[in-house]
Amino acid sequence: MQEAVTTIQKFRLRVSDLHELHVEEHGNPNGTPIVFLHGGPGGGTSPAQILSFDPTRFRIISFDQRGAGRSTPSAEIAENTTSALISDLEVIRERLQIERWFVAGGSWGSCLALAYGEAHPERCLGFRLHGIFLAGPADIDWWFHGSRMIFPDHWESFASFIPANERHDLLSAYYRRLVSDDPETRLAAAISLRTFSATTQTFLPDPDHVSRLIEPAAALAVSRIFTHYCMNGAFLEPDQLIKNIDCIRHLPCEIVQGRYDTVTPMASAWALAKAWPEARFTIVTEANHQSTRGPMAEALREAADRLSFTLATAAA
């Protein structure tokens, strides 16, 4: 039975003249600090995502990244880069007077977790990563074009929103509409993109999951910010995360991946595990991309518990 999660505090944190973040702290105020990084980019944090951490063991920090969730301004792509998000993490850490913390993230959050860890390895106790996304051209092309090999029906609806002469590059076509001056054009593109995203995330069809993800304001934020990052290669150098992995290989890491993840396919998780052989790699067979229920949620809880045990053993 899962423990009730106690909310320690919620607060607003201004990180630039433009951006203000929504930050939350849950669990045990004297527990091991762990920061959770949500996906998207632009997806925001949901209460279900923190349930994979034992609240008696962990001091759980979550926040909505720039332009996402309850952070403001919503859907804003100005001053929204990976380096800015890394800087925000440091502002939050210092505000909470945390010396070192575990870093957990899924999907885009796994990419940001690696980028942050490689920028500040001295601030990290270890990592729990799932739904691995490395933001390379293959990852991005798969999402916009390759996934039609598995979901030709959903992809056809996704692609047909765009005129035929632009369908060779759906990322650019959607991005142009999502940054349009016309609000109706932006919203229509967002709903189309997010509907495709939602229908491909779950192991079994889940209409309720789709309906939650296409709420207009949230759909606009994630669609705009996601395409903004994809257009810019997540503001990373080619293969940056794998090339720089040696600076964090001494830290404990749990990699958890759904075998049938059709959003962030297992090839990226496999590449990361090969580059980081010291990390524990768990493959969850009956899982796609969704991480808050079923075998994937159980595997993530077990991975977090192992990290806690590893730290306690090292301290002893």
Side-chain angles (χ1 to χ4, degrees):
M1 182 176 179
Q2 289 184 329
E3 300 86 351
V5 180
T6 301
T7 300
I8 301 171
Q9 63 172 326
K10 299 180 181 181
F11 60 92
R12 308 287 296 178
L13 183 62
R14 182 157 293 282
V15 290
S16 78
D17 290 341
L18 178 61
H19 288 280
E20 185 174 88
L21 307 183
H22 175 87
V23 185
E24 297 188 0
E25 193 176 356
H26 302 273
N28 181 353
N30 298 312
T32 302
I34 189 162
V35 60
F36 176 77
L37 308 179
H38 66 68
T45 304
S46 71
Q49 291 170 329
I50 66 169
L51 294 178
S52 61
F53 306 106
D54 183 344
T56 68
R57 299 183 182 187
F58 288 105
R59 177 186 177 190
I60 309 155
I61 296 93
S62 65
F63 70 102
D64 294 332
Q65 296 159 27
R66 295 189 181 202
R70 290 151 291 184
S71 293
T72 53
S74 180
E76 181 58 71
I77 59 176
E79 298 180 18
N80 202 332
T81 65
T82 301
S83 60
L85 302 187
I86 290 171
S87 175
D88 293 347
L89 275 159
E90 281 295 276
V91 172
I92 294 169
R93 185 188 61 76
E94 292 171 0
R95 163 71 180 267
L96 296 175
Q97 298 181 318
I98 294 171
E99 184 67 22
R100 299 174 71 201
W101 52 9
F102 278 111
V103 184
S107 193
W108 156 251
S110 70
C111 181
L112 179 57
L114 289 167
Y116 171 79
E118 291 173 2
H120 297 284
E122 75 286 355
R123 297 304 180 189
C124 301
L125 293 169
F127 302 86
R128 194 200 69 183
L129 311 172
H130 70 274
I132 304 304
F133 178 66
L134 300 177
D139 303 88
I140 295 168
D141 184 69
W142 167 266
W143 199 94
F144 282 92
H145 293 276
S147 55
R148 62 182 160 178
M149 300 297 291
I150 299 172
F151 296 104
D153 49 349
H154 299 311
W155 186 87
E156 186 172 285
S157 297
F158 172 58
S160 65
F161 178 83
I162 301 297
N165 65 341
E166 297 181 67
R167 290 178 196 162
H168 64 285
D169 185 356
L170 289 176
L171 167 58
S172 296
Y174 266 93
Y175 179 72
R176 283 192 293 272
R177 287 158 176 82
L178 287 162
V179 297
S180 165
D181 291 333
D182 178 30
E184 291 186 3
T185 298
R186 292 197 302 267
L187 184 58
I191 296 297
S192 177
L193 186 147
R194 197 57 170 153
T195 299
F196 176 66
S197 174
T199 54
T200 60
Q201 288 181 6
T202 56
F203 190 63
L204 296 173
D206 188 343
D208 290 339
H209 178 75
V210 175
S211 65
R212 285 194 299 272
L213 266 59
I214 61 173
E215 185 279 321
L220 182 62
V222 70
S223 298
R224 273 173 57 88
I225 297 171
F226 171 63
T227 55
H228 165 68
Y229 273 77
C230 288
M231 286 291 292
N232 290 283
F235 303 93
L236 300 171
E237 297 297 323
D239 299 320
Q240 175 180 324
L241 301 179
I242 295 296
K243 287 179 179 177
N244 294 342
I245 202 70
D246 285 354
C247 68
I248 54 174
R249 279 179 57 188
H250 63 289
L251 296 168
C253 178
E254 294 273 347
I255 302 170
V256 184
Q257 180 71 28
R259 179 175 291 281
Y260 299 106
D261 190 331
T262 53
V263 178
T264 53
M266 205 174 84
S268 292
W270 188 257
L272 178 62
K274 287 293 185 182
W276 197 345
E278 299 84 0
R280 178 166 179 154
F281 185 30
T282 301
I283 299 171
V284 184
T285 301
E286 294 183 0
N288 188 341
H289 194 67
Q290 189 182 39
S291 62
T292 56
R293 64 176 67 176
M296 192 69 178
E298 295 170 11
L300 288 172
R301 175 73 171 230
E302 292 167 0
D305 289 346
R306 284 193 296 269
L307 285 175
S308 178
F309 179 77
T310 298
L311 184 64
T313 301

